[in-house]
Amino acid sequence: MSNSTSNTHILVFPLPPPGHLIPLLDLTHHLLRYGLTVTIVISTVNLPLLNPLLSSHPSSLHKLLLSDPAPSPSPHPLIAKLTATRQLFDPIVQWFESHPAPPVAIISDFFLGWTNDLATHLGIRRVVFSPSGALGYSIFHKLWRDVLDINALNDDGDENFMLSFPDIPSSPQLPWWQLSETWRSFKKGDPGFESFRKGILGNMTSWGIVFNTFEDLEGDYIDYMKKQMGHDRIWAVGPLLPTKNERDPKGSTGRGGSSVVPPDDLFMWLDQKRDESVVYICFGSRETLDEKEMKTLTVALALSNVDFVLCVHESGSNFIPSGFKDQVGGRGFIFKGWAPQLEILRHKAIGLFITHCGWNSTLEAITSGVTMLTWPMGADQFTNAALVVDQLGVGKRVCDDGSNSVPDSIKLA
Ligand code: UDP
């Protein structure tokens, strides 16, 4: 522990969904290892996920449990949830004012733009944490900043309208339907949307931004963000993954959740497979395949003769056709619920990953040396897939026609 960092107290404020929470907990782990004192705002339901860090850093990690805010009125469910978090402003101020050694800075998720006002009110620095990559964030920022101008370009709402971003490196282009559903739902004058947009603009006036990415992967986009911010306090601090054998060597204590299958059963099965011979399939913590998509995938897996690990959420598992398990016999290992993804990707038997290209999954695959077959579905996933396939050459497209289309089973096999 260096003297300059000991006793420096930071407030960390993540959002609860796993794709946001997991990497910010990973960053918290790094801060603790550097000797900082951290208080983390956490909801009761996610408390168990903090346990590994609490037991390794009992005196320097503290939790700030605040009651869940009541949903705010907004026609859009995500905007309603995010706007509601602002109700935590006063409780955090009260906590801060009564603390004997309050934090000197706040690191908060990019969706919590209002924490910029909070930091200003408290007289401390706010650092934005981006669980998206720098390319994804560059597009996200531009979309929200220029929402009215961009909407005016396509006022008849043509789904195939190509939107270009000529000043962003590599000049990305996206058809309208690949833009995030939340952004496309923007309603001028709606208080929820307006306050969310204000928060996103607030991110750009924050003291700094940290990205879960690394220079060799996204250096050009980091430089672009520095120009946008008008200063250099933009850092690529990723990949923020625990090192192998650190904390959770077999995924049993649960990075983001507890495995629904005893991890040893899976790893004993994987240990018997040839190197890079097994396909891992998972669409992150939120996306699920519909019946048609699941049928395509399972037909392809049945035809293909490959060994595979298929991870589907409990809610989507009903679409796995009855008889599929018998059909594939010992070739398939199926998780109906949470799987220890990082440890799976790091296993030498895994050679391919069919993925929705969530940013965390993308980084986990790249750093594990696993080739991706991309099947993006929303949010920043189309941009991530383009980066993976067109710029990095570490993946191949299997489907990017959106939810109206599914890949061909025979080609997929
Ligand atoms: N994850 C996991 N087990 C699962 C599903 C997801 O460990 O069964 C983890 C995955 O390793 C990643 C995160 O959850 O760290 C999902 O984040 P990502 O950005 O890939 O996708 P999102 O869930 O945000 O769409």
Side-chain angles (χ1 to χ4, degrees), residues 17-20 22-23 131 241 255-257 280 282-287 311 313 337-343 345 355-362 364 381:
H20 292 246
I22 292 173
L241 307 169
R255 182 175 174 266
Y280 171 59
C282 182
F283 300 97
S285 63
R286 290 172 306 132
E287 308 284 0
C311 167
H313 304 303
W338 198 257
Q341 172 162 306
L342 180 61
E343 291 74 17
L345 285 169
T355 171
H356 72 313
C357 297
W359 185 247
N360 296 290
S361 296
T362 303
E364 289 160 16
Q381 297 152 18

Side-chain angles (χ1 to χ4, degrees), residues 6-271:
S6 61
N7 299 324
T8 301
H9 183 189
I10 307 289
L11 182 64
V12 171
F13 193 167
L15 273 183
H20 292 246
L21 180 65
I22 292 173
L24 194 37
L25 286 183
D26 288 339
L27 176 63
T28 302
H29 188 208
H30 288 283
L31 299 177
L32 291 165
R33 281 202 314 207
Y34 276 99
L36 296 163
T37 297
V38 175
T39 297
I40 184 157
V41 181
I42 192 117
S43 56
T44 324
V45 62
N46 278 327
L47 256 185
L49 300 181
L50 210 55
N51 286 339
L53 281 181
L54 280 169
S55 52
S56 55
H57 297 88
S59 56
S60 49
L61 177 63
H62 309 278
K63 47 191 192 283
L64 177 56
L65 266 175
L66 300 171
S67 18
D68 288 335
S72 290
S74 171
H76 193 281
L78 176 64
I79 296 294
K81 266 194 200 154
L82 293 175
T83 327
T85 58
R86 204 185 166 103
Q87 294 162 34
L88 302 179
F89 191 107
D90 289 340
I92 294 176
V93 171
Q94 279 158 24
W95 166 83
F96 182 95
E97 284 173 350
S98 62
H99 200 287
V104 295
I106 173 166
I107 303 180
S108 53
D109 190 278
F110 66 10
F111 278 167
L112 297 171
W114 60 266
T115 53
N116 215 39
D117 297 342
L118 175 70
T120 306
H121 179 88
L122 298 174
I124 62 176
R125 289 169 174 173
R126 184 222 175 185
V127 177
V128 179
F129 173 72
S130 172
S132 281
L135 167 60
Y137 190 85
S138 303
I139 292 179
F140 168 80
H141 162 66
K142 212 166 163 53
L143 283 172
W144 283 97
R145 190 192 66 190
D146 300 341
V147 61
L148 297 178
D149 295 343
I150 295 174
N151 273 321
L153 293 175
N154 183 26
D155 50 11
D156 56 355
D158 175 4
E159 287 286 289
N160 294 315
F161 178 87
M162 282 306 276
L163 186 61
S164 311
F165 300 88
D167 65 323
I168 297 179
S170 78
S171 309
Q173 289 196 334
L174 290 165
W176 202 255
W177 61 266
Q178 287 187 2
L179 304 176
S180 97
E181 181 276 325
T182 310
W183 182 84
R184 280 181 292 145
S185 310
F186 176 77
K187 298 224 169 7
K188 187 171 184 287
D190 173 86
F193 274 106
E194 294 290 358
S195 113
F196 177 72
R197 178 166 177 261
K198 186 170 165 261
I200 300 304
L201 299 179
N203 285 347
M204 299 305 277
T205 58
S206 67
W207 187 77
I209 304 188
V210 291
F211 285 97
N212 185 15
T213 191
F214 50 100
E215 287 282 343
D216 284 347
L217 183 66
E218 290 202 296
D220 288 349
Y221 304 109
I222 291 289
D223 289 345
Y224 170 81
M225 282 305 299
K226 286 180 179 167
K227 281 195 202 116
Q228 294 297 304
M229 294 281 283
H231 58 74
D232 280 354
R233 293 185 301 274
I234 317 293
W235 293 279
V237 296
L240 287 166
L241 307 169
T243 52
K244 225 172 180 174
N245 300 325
E246 190 179 51
R247 278 213 283 154
D248 196 11
K250 289 255 154 145
S252 44
T253 53
R255 182 175 174 266
S258 295
S259 174
V260 285
V261 174
D264 277 345
D265 292 359
L266 170 72
F267 292 111
M268 272 157 55
W269 184 83
L270 280 176
D271 286 346

